[in-house]
Amino acid sequence: MSLNLLGKCLICSHQSDYMACDRCQVNMRHQLADIPRFSVMASDRLEPRQGGSRGTERGFGLSMAALEASCGYDAIAVLECWVRDWRETYGLVQYGVVSEGLSITGLLTEICTFLTNWLPKSCEEHLAIDLFAAELRQQWASMREGAGETPANSWVIPCPADIERMVEDEMTIALCGTPIKIADPDFDAEVNCRSCKTHWKVSRLLYVGASANAGGIFVDPEAAAAYLGVSERTLRQWATKGKIKRERGRYDITALA
């Protein structure tokens, strides 16, 4: 007999006889499989790179998101709590010290394997499966950022060129406005307007878009640091002070345009 008296998934609210629907279970299964893989990928990104040039701060030259993901401490701490909870809930052997002799990736793999094995049962009857799903997704997103696997940024910015147009038999100057798509920017690259044939540096177009876009232009930490000429550490400090907006690990460059 199902314990779900509401008849809907606690995570997405779709109709379900269990606490979590099949679609949400598949999503969580994929996230659990990704986390150890992201840890390995983040370790491969721990190479020094050029930091920002604004201000007097001297950066470490490392991606802090990659460093945090490669260590995996947050993910381990959060997911271990759920291992303990599920073991207690289902009357299993108490969670003990399993980290001796294991690498970070090995420990993450062991934790995620246990949670994956008991995920179907938890989706059927665990009363806090929605809380587990939320915490899992948060850790998965952080690990994905550290692995450099965040989806590519893309924006559509109206061409800012002034062009001549014939209006009622009179030649006038007007804004071109043709949409120009920028995907995962290389700030020194050039893009072309298909209508007026003008050429623009990506950095210039982003500046124009940032000045006019009230909804914000959010980019990943590396792109934001490069665009603003600061280190990722400075970005985090600015976000804490409210100087720059951060959402889902990305920063709004319009605030400083």
Side-chain angles (χ1 to χ4, degrees):
M1 179 179 177
S2 172
L3 298 176
N4 187 355
L5 302 180
L6 298 177
K8 63 180 182 180
C9 174
L10 299 182
I11 301 170
C12 69
S13 297
H14 287 177
Q15 184 175 358
S16 175
D17 293 331
Y18 301 117
M19 296 300 179
C21 65
D22 291 341
R23 185 179 67 174
C24 288
Q25 181 177 164
V26 169
N27 288 340
M28 290 186 285
R29 187 179 298 276
H30 288 164
Q31 290 165 2
L32 287 167
D34 283 340
I35 285 177
R37 180 171 63 88
F38 286 160
S39 176
V40 174
M41 295 173 66
S43 298
D44 294 338
R45 299 181 69 227
L46 293 179
E47 295 185 5
R49 63 176 188 275
Q50 186 66 35
S53 59
R54 182 179 295 185
T56 58
E57 177 190 359
R58 186 172 183 178
F60 292 108
L62 296 174
S63 167
M64 295 306 295
L67 181 60
E68 292 168 359
S70 66
C71 294
Y73 295 143
D74 288 345
I76 289 172
V78 170
L79 297 179
E80 273 189 336
C81 288
W82 286 103
V83 171
R84 293 188 177 92
D85 177 88
W86 290 9
R87 284 185 175 277
E88 181 179 350
T89 299
Y90 303 130
L92 304 176
V93 176
Q94 187 176 4
Y95 184 70
V97 179
V98 297
S99 59
E100 293 181 1
L102 289 178
S103 64
I104 295 297
T105 302
L107 179 55
L108 279 171
T109 300
E110 185 155 322
I111 291 172
C112 290
T113 298
F114 172 84
L115 294 173
T116 299
N117 290 339
W118 285 88
L119 185 62
K121 185 174 182 63
S122 296
C123 287
E124 288 184 10
E125 59 187 57
H126 201 290
L127 298 178
I129 191 65
D130 54 338
L131 180 58
F132 169 75
E135 293 189 355
L136 171 62
R137 178 168 180 79
Q138 182 179 22
Q139 295 306 316
W140 173 81
S142 296
M143 297 293 285
R144 181 181 65 168
E145 179 185 343
E149 288 292 287
T150 51
N153 301 296
S154 64
W155 308 271
V156 175
I157 298 175
C159 175
D162 291 328
I163 61 174
E164 293 183 342
R165 284 180 177 170
M166 186 69 70
V167 179
E168 296 180 354
D169 296 328
E170 290 186 8
M171 189 65 69
T172 61
I173 303 298
L175 183 69
C176 174
T178 301
I180 300 176
K181 185 174 182 179
I182 302 173
D184 217 12
D186 173 0
F187 297 116
D188 293 325
E190 285 193 349
V191 291
N192 304 322
C193 174
R194 67 178 185 274
S195 179
C196 68
K197 311 303 180 184
T198 52
H199 306 279
W200 299 91
K201 286 192 68 172
V202 167
S203 58
R204 173 60 180 165
L205 269 185
L206 282 180
Y207 180 83
V208 172
S211 300
N213 193 338
I217 294 179
F218 288 86
V219 301
D220 60 51
E222 293 182 32
Y227 181 78
L228 298 172
V230 298
S231 68
E232 292 181 31
R233 179 184 179 189
T234 296
L235 287 177
R236 290 193 297 274
Q237 291 173 343
W238 283 356
T240 301
K241 296 176 181 178
K243 187 176 179 180
I244 191 170
K245 189 175 181 181
R246 175 175 176 169
E247 286 186 2
R248 299 179 181 179
R250 294 180 175 180
Y251 296 87
D252 178 14
I253 62 173
T254 64
L256 300 174

